[in-house]
Amino acid sequence: MTAASSLPGHPFITYQSGELYVEQVRLSELARTHGTPLFVYSKAAMLSALGAYQRGFAGRKAHICYAMKANSTLGVLQVFAQAGCGFDIVSGGELARVLAAGGDPAKVIFSGVGKTRAEMQQALQAGIGCFNVESTAELEVLNEVAESMGEKACVSLRVNPNVDPKTHPYISTGLKGNKFGVAHEQAVHIYLHAARLPGLKVVGIDCHIGSQITEMTPYLDAMDRVLDLVTQIEAAGVPIHHIDFGGGLGINYNGDTPPEADALWAQLLAKLDARGFGDRQLMIEPGRSLVGNAGVCLSEVLYLKPGEQKNFCIIDAAMNDLPRPAMYQAYHHITPVQPRIGTGDVFDVVGPICESGDWIGRDRSLNVQPGDVLAVLSAGAYCMSMSSNYNTRGRAAEILVDGDQVHLIRERESVFDTFQLEHLPV
Ligand code: LLP
């Protein structure tokens, strides 16, 4: 292994003299000190991903609201809050996290199809920027809640542009059969209704068509559909102050080639300009593309188990830590932190959980022995935030690396932590 070769798509994760590093920190050392499974994030990688959006929007009126469902750990939120980001939230719990991390509530937008009255109250009290409303029924409840508090809630309607994002069906959200948003055909009618409700102030429009999108066309098509609607809604007498184009930009997991954020936005802004909307206040809600390739999950090889049809490499991380392969058949690259010389064998990399669905990688060529530490790449998004305690496994610890600095941003959850809210009936 030559000195300092970065992994494709991971400029801040490098092999240096045969050892894997995140920025200037050796991963074998972190695994030894903090144990495994262990999530490690690069602050520079997050800021670099954010930088691509900031470059794309240079000179424009644009707010970047990090979709924190991708990774809602306080230490990660603080990085984005300090970089000036707002947040796209989907629960009262996420709002509490934004506030705990020092985020500005005025830069928060609240998405999701099922906001409760209590969450609406909490968000109005905190003074969030905007509710992204997804149905007429929700509009009416929000109106009631705001009126009862003597407030006016700023709202944007999430419209469903009926565009195919060409991604996994579970993470495609902008098609007619999805539960999200209001139908394109009904949008003008619902805007007129919203504008008449005394507890609401209509401020924007939003759409989000899906996640892990690797092509530009679905974005360009969705933008056309949304701009058509803005024209119609404004012609009907309701001004639209901001346009929110959601998140969804994909990352490189396995040779995927999504556009860079600045290249994507160069195209989208050209369309906005051509259609005369270039000076509008813009918003976006990126999640995965800001954190996905900033994180790795370190895991120790427990056993090698040769089989008649398959060889298994059993590691100490499992589907409770890394749920994406089990849920979406997702690919995460897996690489040793201290590679051995030689080719090794082909393994299915699996966790200790009692389910055949508990796999992390299939048919991987690895030269490993028990005790070796593997890095599961692209683990910054939708891993820790979707983790669980299944099989009474405590959640992993998390580290934020900043240059040569190591910050423990989440301690390992103990087994006691996992049952401390439970009571024996007798
Ligand atoms: N805005 C809204 C309204 C969303 O529903 C989402 C993601 C985002 C923004 C951020 O999308 P992103 O930029 O991260 O693609 N657990 C799945 C992904 C679910 C995405 C849900 N919504 C996965 O692991 O692939």
Side-chain angles (χ1 to χ4, degrees):
M1 197 81 33
T2 53
S5 58
S6 79
L7 299 176
H10 300 80
F12 300 93
I13 304 175
T14 50
Y15 277 109
Q16 301 180 29
S17 311
E19 285 252 17
L20 195 60
Y21 282 67
V22 164
E23 299 192 31
Q24 293 157 40
V25 175
R26 203 149 47 102
L27 293 180
S28 59
E29 188 64 39
L30 287 183
R32 211 170 8 256
T33 312
H34 297 277
T36 51
L38 180 71
F39 285 92
V40 183
Y41 309 117
S42 155
K43 181 176 176 183
M46 293 182 204
L47 293 179
S48 154
L50 176 63
Y53 282 101
Q54 289 167 329
R55 274 196 306 282
F57 286 124
R60 303 283 179 153
K61 288 186 282 180
H63 286 315
I64 300 169
C65 293
Y66 166 52
M68 60 180 281
K69 62 171 81 68
N71 187 322
S72 53
T73 302
L74 297 184
V76 171
L77 301 184
Q78 190 186 52
V79 170
F80 290 109
Q82 289 180 347
C85 288
F87 295 91
D88 171 53
I89 65 166
V90 288
S91 69
E94 287 195 345
L95 176 55
R97 282 184 172 274
V98 169
L99 300 178
D104 178 357
K107 292 188 194 163
V108 166
I109 51 181
F110 194 167
S111 300
V113 294
K115 304 174 192 79
T116 65
R117 284 170 193 265
E119 286 175 322
M120 291 173 178
Q121 271 165 5
Q122 178 195 355
L124 284 167
Q125 261 153 17
I128 69 157
C130 184
F131 289 84
N132 284 353
V133 174
E134 304 224 14
S135 64
T136 309
E138 185 195 333
L139 266 185
E140 278 159 14
V141 171
L142 181 58
N143 174 57
E144 256 175 58
V145 172
E147 272 208 290
S148 73
M149 295 171 69
E151 299 264 357
K152 257 188 188 297
C154 290
V155 296
S156 155
L157 277 178
R158 174 166 176 184
V159 297
N160 192 337
N162 199 26
V163 164
D164 185 355
K166 305 195 178 84
T167 183
H168 191 284
Y170 281 14
I171 51 178
S172 157
T173 50
L175 282 166
K176 274 192 178 164
N178 292 129
K179 68 178 175 181
F180 300 102
V182 301
H184 197 268
E185 300 72 35
Q186 289 162 21
V188 176
H189 175 74
I190 301 176
Y191 264 100
L192 287 170
H193 180 55
R196 283 193 291 267
L197 293 175
L200 306 183
K201 178 168 186 239
V202 173
V203 293
I205 189 167
D206 65 281
C207 79
H208 170 79
I209 55 174
S211 199
Q212 185 54 17
I213 302 170
T214 54
E215 294 174 31
M216 288 204 191
T217 322
Y219 278 105
L220 290 161
D221 292 348
M223 177 174 273
D224 266 326
R225 303 272 293 162
V226 170
L227 296 182
D228 291 347
L229 267 182
V230 174
T231 309
Q232 290 173 39
I233 295 161
E234 294 195 328
V238 183
I240 300 293
H241 173 67
H242 77 244
I243 312 179
D244 171 353
F245 291 103
L249 181 57
I251 60 170
N252 177 2
Y253 283 103
N254 184 22
D256 310 281
T257 52
E260 296 292 326
D262 47 353
L264 172 67
W265 275 96
Q267 298 272 326
L268 289 169
L269 289 169
K271 181 182 278 296
L272 274 176
D273 288 342
R275 293 198 51 175
F277 290 94
D279 59 351
R280 290 295 167 117
Q281 176 68 52
L282 306 174
M283 315 245 274
I284 51 162
E285 308 163 1
R288 185 192 321 265
S289 52
L290 292 180
V291 289
N293 274 342
V296 303
C297 180
L298 303 183
S299 179
E300 184 180 321
V301 176
L302 299 175
Y303 302 104
L304 298 182
K305 183 173 173 183
E308 276 181 24
Q309 294 184 355
K310 291 237 164 199
N311 299 317
F312 293 100
C313 169
I314 303 169
I315 64 175
D316 67 357
M319 65 189 283
N320 72 304
D321 307 295
L322 295 163
R324 302 191 66 259
M327 282 188 78
Y328 318 111
Q329 296 79 48
Y331 180 96
H332 287 263
H333 195 62
I334 302 173
T335 190
V337 304
Q338 291 171 311
R340 296 169 180 272
I341 309 293
T343 46
D345 229 323
V346 175
F347 295 96
D348 273 13
V349 179
V350 300
I353 283 181
C354 303
E355 297 223 20
S356 299
D358 181 26
W359 59 278
I360 307 298
R362 291 205 162 121
D363 300 322
R364 304 300 175 87
S365 286
L366 290 168
N367 185 6
V368 285
Q369 292 298 326
D372 287 4
V373 175
L374 297 176
V376 180
L377 301 190
S378 310
Y382 301 113
C383 292
M384 178 50 98
S385 61
M386 290 174 67
S387 66
S388 77
N389 291 127
Y390 190 36
N391 280 207
T392 304
R393 291 168 52 88
R395 284 182 178 77
E398 293 179 293
I399 299 279
L400 181 73
V401 169
D402 181 8
D404 61 0
Q405 301 289 303
V406 171
H407 303 280
L408 179 65
I409 56 171
R410 183 197 295 260
E411 290 178 34
R412 187 172 303 285
E413 193 177 26
S414 73
V415 168
F416 174 74
D417 292 331
T418 70
F419 57 66
Q420 65 169 333
L421 297 178
E422 297 175 36
H423 302 284
L424 295 171
V426 286

Coordinates of all heavy atoms in Angstrom, one line a residue, residues 282-346:
L282 N -34.7 30.7 -2.3 CA -34.7 29.3 -2.5 C -34.3 28.5 -1.2 O -33.6 29.1 -0.3 CB -33.6 28.9 -3.5 CG -33.7 29.6 -4.9 CD1 -32.5 29.3 -5.7 CD2 -35.0 29.3 -5.6
M283 N -34.8 27.3 -1.1 CA -34.4 26.5 0.1 C -34.2 25.0 -0.5 O -34.8 24.6 -1.5 CB -35.6 26.3 1.0 CG -36.3 27.6 1.3 SD -36.1 28.1 3.0 CE -37.4 27.2 3.8
I284 N -33.3 24.3 0.2 CA -33.1 22.9 -0.1 C -33.0 22.2 1.2 O -32.7 22.7 2.3 CB -31.9 22.6 -1.0 CG1 -30.6 23.3 -0.4 CG2 -32.1 23.0 -2.4 CD1 -29.4 22.7 -1.0
E285 N -33.2 20.9 1.1 CA -33.2 20.0 2.3 C -32.3 18.8 2.1 O -32.8 17.7 2.2 CB -34.6 19.5 2.6 CG -35.7 20.6 2.7 CD -37.1 20.0 2.6 OE1 -37.3 18.8 2.4 OE2 -38.1 20.8 2.6
P286 N -31.0 19.0 1.9 CA -30.2 17.8 1.7 C -29.8 17.1 3.0 O -29.6 17.7 4.0 CB -28.9 18.4 1.1 CG -28.8 19.8 1.6 CD -30.3 20.2 1.9
G287 N -29.8 15.8 2.9 CA -29.5 15.0 4.1 C -28.2 14.1 3.8 O -27.1 14.4 4.1
R288 N -28.5 13.0 3.1 CA -27.5 12.0 2.8 C -26.2 12.6 2.1 O -25.1 12.3 2.5 CB -28.0 11.0 1.8 CG -27.1 9.9 1.5 CD -27.6 9.0 0.3 NE -29.0 8.8 0.2 CZ -29.7 7.7 0.7 NH1 -29.0 6.8 1.3 NH2 -31.0 7.6 0.7
S289 N -26.4 13.6 1.2 CA -25.2 14.1 0.4 C -24.3 14.9 1.3 O -23.2 15.2 1.0 CB -25.7 14.9 -0.8 OG -26.7 15.9 -0.4
L290 N -24.8 15.4 2.5 CA -24.0 16.1 3.4 C -23.2 15.3 4.4 O -22.1 15.7 4.8 CB -24.8 17.1 4.2 CG -25.4 18.3 3.4 CD1 -26.2 19.2 4.4 CD2 -24.4 19.1 2.7
V291 N -23.7 14.1 4.7 CA -23.0 13.3 5.8 C -22.7 11.8 5.3 O -21.9 11.2 6.0 CB -23.9 13.2 7.0 CG1 -24.0 14.6 7.7 CG2 -25.3 12.7 6.7
G292 N -23.3 11.3 4.3 CA -23.2 9.9 4.0 C -21.8 9.4 3.8 O -21.3 8.5 4.5
N293 N -21.0 10.1 3.0 CA -19.6 9.7 2.8 C -18.6 10.3 3.7 O -17.4 10.2 3.6 CB -19.2 9.9 1.3 CG -19.6 8.7 0.5 OD1 -19.9 7.6 1.1 ND2 -19.7 8.8 -0.8
A294 N -19.1 11.0 4.8 CA -18.3 11.5 5.8 C -18.1 10.5 7.0 O -17.3 10.7 7.9 CB -18.9 12.8 6.4
G295 N -18.8 9.4 6.9 CA -18.7 8.4 8.0 C -18.4 7.0 7.7 O -18.7 6.6 6.6
V296 N -17.7 6.3 8.6 CA -17.5 4.9 8.5 C -17.9 4.2 9.8 O -18.0 4.9 10.8 CB -16.0 4.6 8.3 CG1 -15.4 5.3 7.0 CG2 -15.1 4.9 9.5
C297 N -18.2 3.0 9.7 CA -18.5 2.2 10.9 C -17.4 1.1 11.1 O -17.2 0.3 10.1 CB -19.9 1.5 10.8 SG -20.3 0.6 12.3
L298 N -16.7 1.2 12.2 CA -15.6 0.2 12.4 C -16.2 -1.0 13.1 O -17.0 -0.8 14.1 CB -14.5 0.8 13.3 CG -13.9 2.1 12.7 CD1 -12.8 2.5 13.7 CD2 -13.3 1.8 11.3
S299 N -15.8 -2.2 12.7 CA -16.4 -3.4 13.3 C -15.3 -4.5 13.3 O -14.5 -4.6 12.4 CB -17.6 -3.9 12.5 OG -18.1 -5.0 13.0
E300 N -15.3 -5.3 14.4 CA -14.2 -6.3 14.5 C -14.7 -7.6 14.0 O -15.9 -8.0 14.1 CB -13.9 -6.5 16.0 CG -12.7 -7.5 16.2 CD -12.4 -7.6 17.7 OE1 -12.4 -6.6 18.4 OE2 -12.1 -8.8 18.1
V301 N -13.8 -8.3 13.3 CA -14.1 -9.7 12.8 C -14.1 -10.6 14.0 O -13.1 -10.7 14.7 CB -13.1 -10.1 11.8 CG1 -13.4 -11.6 11.4 CG2 -13.1 -9.2 10.6
L302 N -15.3 -11.3 14.2 CA -15.4 -12.2 15.4 C -15.0 -13.6 15.0 O -14.2 -14.2 15.6 CB -16.8 -12.2 15.9 CG -17.3 -10.9 16.5 CD1 -18.8 -11.0 16.9 CD2 -16.5 -10.4 17.7
Y303 N -15.6 -14.1 13.9 CA -15.3 -15.5 13.4 C -15.3 -15.6 11.9 O -16.1 -14.8 11.3 CB -16.4 -16.4 13.9 CG -16.6 -16.4 15.4 CD1 -17.7 -15.8 16.0 CD2 -15.7 -17.1 16.2 CE1 -17.8 -15.7 17.4 CE2 -15.8 -17.1 17.6 CZ -16.9 -16.4 18.2 OH -17.0 -16.4 19.6
L304 N -14.6 -16.5 11.4 CA -14.7 -16.9 10.0 C -15.3 -18.2 10.0 O -14.9 -19.1 10.7 CB -13.3 -16.9 9.3 CG -12.6 -15.6 9.3 CD1 -11.3 -15.7 8.6 CD2 -13.4 -14.5 8.6
K305 N -16.4 -18.4 9.2 CA -17.1 -19.6 9.2 C -17.3 -20.1 7.8 O -18.1 -19.7 7.0 CB -18.5 -19.4 9.8 CG -19.4 -20.6 9.9 CD -20.7 -20.2 10.7 CE -21.6 -21.4 10.7 NZ -22.9 -21.0 11.4
P306 N -16.4 -21.1 7.4 CA -16.5 -21.6 6.0 C -17.7 -22.4 5.9 O -18.1 -23.1 6.8 CB -15.2 -22.5 5.8 CG -14.5 -22.4 7.1 CD -15.3 -21.7 8.1
G307 N -18.4 -22.3 4.7 CA -19.6 -23.1 4.5 C -19.6 -23.8 3.2 O -18.6 -23.6 2.4
E308 N -20.6 -24.7 3.0 CA -20.5 -25.5 1.7 C -20.8 -24.6 0.5 O -20.2 -24.7 -0.5 CB -21.6 -26.6 1.7 CG -21.0 -27.8 2.4 CD -22.0 -29.0 2.5 OE1 -22.9 -29.0 1.6 OE2 -21.8 -29.8 3.4
Q309 N -21.8 -23.6 0.7 CA -22.1 -22.7 -0.4 C -21.5 -21.4 -0.2 O -21.2 -20.7 -1.2 CB -23.6 -22.6 -0.5 CG -24.2 -23.9 -0.9 CD -25.7 -23.8 -1.1 OE1 -26.3 -22.7 -0.9 NE2 -26.4 -24.8 -1.6
K310 N -21.3 -20.9 1.0 CA -20.8 -19.6 1.3 C -19.9 -19.6 2.4 O -20.0 -20.5 3.3 CB -22.0 -18.7 1.7 CG -23.0 -18.4 0.7 CD -23.2 -17.0 0.5 CE -23.9 -16.6 -0.8 NZ -23.7 -15.3 -1.2
N311 N -18.9 -18.7 2.4 CA -18.1 -18.5 3.6 C -18.7 -17.2 4.3 O -19.1 -16.3 3.7 CB -16.7 -18.2 3.2 CG -16.0 -19.3 2.5 OD1 -16.2 -20.5 2.9 ND2 -15.3 -19.0 1.4
F312 N -18.8 -17.3 5.6 CA -19.3 -16.1 6.4 C -18.2 -15.5 7.2 O -17.4 -16.2 7.8 CB -20.4 -16.6 7.3 CG -21.6 -17.0 6.5 CD1 -21.9 -18.4 6.4 CD2 -22.5 -16.1 6.0 CE1 -23.0 -18.8 5.6 CE2 -23.6 -16.5 5.3 CZ -23.8 -17.9 5.1
C313 N -18.2 -14.2 7.1 CA -17.3 -13.4 8.0 C -18.2 -12.7 9.0 O -19.0 -11.8 8.6 CB -16.5 -12.4 7.1 SG -15.6 -11.1 8.1
I314 N -18.2 -13.2 10.2 CA -19.1 -12.7 11.3 C -18.4 -11.5 12.0 O -17.3 -11.7 12.6 CB -19.5 -13.8 12.2 CG1 -20.1 -15.0 11.4 CG2 -20.5 -13.3 13.3 CD1 -20.3 -16.3 12.1
I315 N -19.1 -10.4 12.0 CA -18.5 -9.2 12.6 C -19.4 -8.7 13.8 O -20.5 -9.2 14.0 CB -18.3 -8.0 11.5 CG1 -19.7 -7.6 11.0 CG2 -17.4 -8.5 10.4 CD1 -19.6 -6.3 10.1
D316 N -18.8 -7.8 14.5 CA -19.6 -7.4 15.7 C -20.6 -6.2 15.5 O -21.3 -5.8 16.4 CB -18.7 -7.1 16.9 CG -17.8 -5.8 16.7 OD1 -17.8 -5.2 15.7 OD2 -17.0 -5.5 17.7
A317 N -20.6 -5.7 14.2 CA -21.7 -4.8 13.9 C -22.8 -5.6 13.2 O -22.6 -6.6 12.6 CB -21.2 -3.7 12.9
A318 N -24.1 -5.1 13.3 CA -25.2 -5.9 12.8 C -26.2 -5.0 12.2 O -26.1 -3.7 12.2 CB -25.8 -6.7 13.9
M319 N -27.4 -5.6 11.8 CA -28.4 -4.8 11.2 C -29.0 -3.8 12.1 O -29.7 -2.8 11.7 CB -29.5 -5.7 10.7 CG -30.3 -6.5 11.8 SD -31.4 -7.8 11.2 CE -32.8 -6.8 10.6
N320 N -28.8 -3.9 13.4 CA -29.3 -2.8 14.3 C -28.4 -1.6 14.2 O -28.9 -0.5 14.5 CB -29.4 -3.3 15.8 CG -28.0 -3.5 16.4 OD1 -27.1 -4.2 15.9 ND2 -27.8 -2.8 17.5
D321 N -27.2 -1.8 13.9 CA -26.2 -0.6 13.7 C -26.3 -0.1 12.3 O -26.2 1.1 12.0 CB -24.8 -1.1 14.0 CG -24.6 -1.7 15.3 OD1 -24.8 -1.1 16.3 OD2 -24.3 -3.0 15.3
L322 N -26.4 -1.0 11.3 CA -26.3 -0.7 9.9 C -27.5 -1.3 9.2 O -27.4 -2.4 8.5 CB -25.0 -1.3 9.3 CG -23.7 -0.7 9.9 CD1 -22.5 -1.6 9.6 CD2 -23.4 0.7 9.3
P323 N -28.6 -0.7 9.3 CA -29.9 -1.3 8.8 C -30.1 -1.3 7.3 O -31.0 -1.9 6.8 CB -31.0 -0.6 9.5 CG -30.4 0.7 10.0 CD -28.9 0.6 10.0
R324 N -29.3 -0.5 6.6 CA -29.6 -0.3 5.2 C -29.5 -1.5 4.3 O -30.4 -1.7 3.4 CB -28.7 0.9 4.6 CG -28.9 2.2 5.4 CD -28.3 3.4 4.7 NE -28.9 3.7 3.5 CZ -28.5 3.4 2.3 NH1 -27.4 2.7 2.1 NH2 -29.2 3.6 1.2
P325 N -28.5 -2.4 4.4 CA -28.5 -3.6 3.6 C -29.8 -4.4 3.8 O -30.4 -4.8 2.8 CB -27.2 -4.3 4.0 CG -26.4 -3.2 4.6 CD -27.3 -2.3 5.2
A326 N -30.2 -4.7 5.1 CA -31.4 -5.5 5.3 C -32.6 -4.8 4.8 O -33.5 -5.5 4.3 CB -31.5 -5.7 6.8
M327 N -32.7 -3.5 4.9 CA -33.9 -2.8 4.5 C -34.1 -2.5 3.0 O -35.1 -2.5 2.5 CB -34.1 -1.4 5.3 CG -34.5 -1.6 6.7 SD -34.9 0.0 7.5 CE -36.5 0.3 6.8
Y328 N -32.9 -2.1 2.4 CA -33.0 -1.7 1.0 C -32.1 -2.5 0.1 O -31.8 -2.1 -1.0 CB -32.6 -0.2 0.9 CG -33.2 0.7 1.9 CD1 -32.4 1.3 2.9 CD2 -34.5 1.0 2.0 CE1 -32.9 2.1 3.8 CE2 -35.1 1.8 2.9 CZ -34.2 2.4 3.9 OH -34.7 3.2 4.8
Q329 N -31.5 -3.6 0.6 CA -30.5 -4.3 -0.1 C -29.4 -3.4 -0.5 O -28.8 -3.5 -1.6 CB -31.0 -5.0 -1.4 CG -32.1 -6.1 -1.2 CD -33.4 -5.5 -0.9 OE1 -33.9 -4.6 -1.6 NE2 -34.1 -6.0 0.2
A330 N -29.1 -2.4 0.3 CA -28.1 -1.4 0.0 C -26.7 -1.9 0.0 O -26.4 -2.8 0.8 CB -28.2 -0.2 1.0
Y331 N -25.8 -1.4 -0.8 CA -24.4 -1.7 -0.8 C -23.6 -0.7 0.0 O -23.7 0.5 -0.2 CB -23.9 -1.7 -2.3 CG -22.4 -2.1 -2.4 CD1 -22.0 -3.4 -2.7 CD2 -21.4 -1.1 -2.2 CE1 -20.7 -3.7 -2.8 CE2 -20.1 -1.4 -2.3 CZ -19.7 -2.7 -2.6 OH -18.4 -3.0 -2.7
H332 N -22.8 -1.2 0.9 CA -21.8 -0.4 1.6 C -20.4 -1.1 1.3 O -20.3 -2.3 1.6 CB -22.0 -0.3 3.1 CG -23.2 0.5 3.5 ND1 -23.0 1.8 3.9 CD2 -24.5 0.2 3.5 CE1 -24.2 2.3 4.1 NE2 -25.2 1.4 3.9
H333 N -19.5 -0.3 0.9 CA -18.1 -0.9 0.7 C -17.5 -1.3 2.0 O -17.7 -0.6 3.0 CB -17.3 0.1 0.0 CG -16.0 -0.5 -0.6 ND1 -16.0 -1.5 -1.5 CD2 -14.7 -0.3 -0.3 CE1 -14.8 -1.9 -1.8 NE2 -14.0 -1.1 -1.1
I334 N -16.8 -2.4 2.1 CA -16.2 -2.9 3.3 C -14.7 -3.1 3.1 O -14.3 -3.7 2.1 CB -16.8 -4.2 3.8 CG1 -18.3 -4.0 4.0 CG2 -16.2 -4.7 5.1 CD1 -19.1 -5.3 4.3
T335 N -13.8 -2.5 3.9 CA -12.4 -2.6 3.7 C -11.7 -2.7 5.0 O -12.1 -2.1 6.0 CB -12.0 -1.3 2.9 OG1 -10.6 -1.5 2.5 CG2 -12.1 0.0 3.7
P336 N -10.6 -3.5 5.1 CA -9.9 -3.6 6.4 C -9.1 -2.3 6.7 O -8.6 -1.6 5.9 CB -8.9 -4.7 6.1 CG -9.3 -5.3 4.8 CD -10.0 -4.3 4.0
V337 N -9.0 -2.0 8.0 CA -8.3 -0.8 8.4 C -6.8 -1.1 8.4 O -6.0 -0.2 8.3 CB -8.7 -0.3 9.8 CG1 -10.2 0.0 9.8 CG2 -8.3 -1.1 10.9
Q338 N -6.4 -2.4 8.5 CA -5.0 -2.7 8.3 C -4.9 -3.9 7.4 O -4.8 -5.1 7.8 CB -4.3 -3.1 9.7 CG -4.2 -1.9 10.7 CD -3.8 -2.4 12.1 OE1 -4.4 -3.3 12.6 NE2 -2.8 -1.8 12.6
P339 N -4.9 -3.6 6.1 CA -5.0 -4.7 5.1 C -3.8 -5.7 5.2 O -2.7 -5.2 5.4 CB -5.0 -4.0 3.7 CG -5.3 -2.6 4.0 CD -4.9 -2.3 5.4
R340 N -4.1 -7.0 5.0 CA -3.0 -8.0 4.9 C -2.6 -8.1 3.5 O -3.4 -7.9 2.6 CB -3.6 -9.3 5.4 CG -4.0 -9.3 6.9 CD -4.8 -10.5 7.2 NE -5.1 -10.5 8.6 CZ -4.4 -10.9 9.6 NH1 -3.2 -11.5 9.4 NH2 -4.8 -10.8 10.9
I341 N -1.4 -8.6 3.3 CA -1.0 -8.9 2.0 C -1.7 -10.2 1.5 O -1.9 -11.1 2.3 CB 0.6 -9.2 2.0 CG1 1.3 -8.0 2.7 CG2 1.1 -9.4 0.6 CD1 1.3 -6.7 2.0
G342 N -2.0 -10.2 0.2 CA -2.7 -11.5 -0.3 C -4.1 -11.3 -0.6 O -4.7 -10.2 -0.2
T343 N -4.7 -12.3 -1.3 CA -6.1 -12.0 -1.8 C -7.2 -12.5 -0.8 O -8.3 -12.0 -0.9 CB -6.3 -12.7 -3.1 OG1 -5.8 -14.0 -3.0 CG2 -5.7 -12.0 -4.2
G344 N -6.9 -13.5 0.0 CA -8.0 -14.0 1.0 C -9.0 -14.8 0.3 O -8.8 -15.6 -0.6
D345 N -10.3 -14.6 0.7 CA -11.4 -15.4 0.2 C -12.6 -14.5 0.0 O -12.6 -13.3 0.3 CB -11.7 -16.4 1.4 CG -11.8 -17.8 0.8 OD1 -12.3 -17.9 -0.3 OD2 -11.4 -18.7 1.5
V346 N -13.7 -15.2 -0.5 CA -14.9 -14.5 -0.7 C -15.9 -14.8 0.4 O -16.1 -16.0 0.7 CB -15.6 -14.8 -2.1 CG1 -16.9 -14.2 -2.3 CG2 -14.6 -14.4 -3.2

